[in-house]
Amino acid sequence: TAPPPPPSAPGPPIGGFTAIGDSVLLGATPSLSTRLGGVLTVDAVVGRQMNEAAALVRDLDDRGLLGQTVLLHLGNNGPFTPEQIDDVFAALGSRKVLLVNIMVPRRWEGEVNDQLAQAVARHPNAVLIDWWSLVTSEPDLTRGDGYHLTPAGAERYTDLVVGQIPR
């Protein structure tokens, strides 16, 4: 008998996928684009902080660019308040939200990761993607600065994210 066929590639995310973040997400964008193709919208810029995200979400929504699943990878450039992240969730409505925690050698790393975990506890439509645990357990995923992605890091980041996207 013939061997079973290989598993089919997962289909595209239901309702589109939007990723919002800073330079770390920017580094993962080519890998995410390769894996997700035309259903992906990325808005990532160097230095972005959480306090900019609610207005950005509203703008993307107004322009029809906000998918039904939204990834947020913010916090590498500074901490934020519970009110700031709750404002982002208010702008997102009932969409599924993937919050990626951070690995950044700065004094606010623990505070940001605590805030993200608390946001997931407050918002039933949120899932925490534990980038910190992956990047601290596997060598060579970040560059010499300790947080920007190597090509291998971008691939592992994409693996982690794609595994959480509803299809």
Side-chain angles (χ1 to χ4, degrees):
T1 61
S8 61
I14 297 167
F17 183 76
T18 303
I20 297 169
D22 56 28
S23 58
V24 175
L25 177 60
L26 205 53
T29 297
S31 178
L32 285 166
S33 294
T34 298
R35 297 273 285 281
L36 296 173
V39 299
L40 173 68
T41 299
V42 176
D43 194 312
V45 296
V46 174
R48 177 172 285 148
Q49 295 196 35
M50 188 68 75
N51 64 353
E52 304 168 52
L56 177 59
V57 165
R58 287 189 288 273
D59 179 62
L60 289 169
D61 196 19
D62 289 348
R63 294 188 291 139
L65 297 174
L66 198 60
Q68 287 304 304
T69 301
V70 177
L71 177 137
L72 287 176
H73 192 162
L74 293 166
N76 289 300
N77 296 302
F80 50 87
T81 66
E83 293 78 19
Q84 287 171 322
I85 196 165
D86 288 346
D87 286 348
V88 177
F89 274 91
L92 288 166
S94 62
R95 288 173 173 84
K96 179 166 180 141
V97 181
L98 308 178
L99 291 179
V100 182
N101 66 12
I102 66 165
M103 182 8 223
V104 62
R106 302 286 188 272
R107 62 176 169 72
W108 56 79
E109 178 190 82
E111 178 185 349
V112 165
N113 286 340
D114 288 347
Q115 288 286 359
L116 293 170
Q118 291 168 23
V120 169
R122 288 191 308 274
H123 299 280
N125 57 322
V127 173
L128 184 68
I129 295 182
D130 193 2
W131 173 244
W132 185 91
S133 289
L134 179 66
V135 80
T136 57
S137 67
E138 289 186 23
D140 304 322
L141 298 183
T142 59
R143 298 188 185 281
D145 62 13
Y147 60 103
H148 287 105
L149 304 178
T150 62
E155 290 300 320
R156 292 295 285 134
Y157 183 99
T158 299
D159 292 343
L160 202 59
V161 168
V162 168
Q164 292 295 323
I165 299 173
R167 297 176 186 277

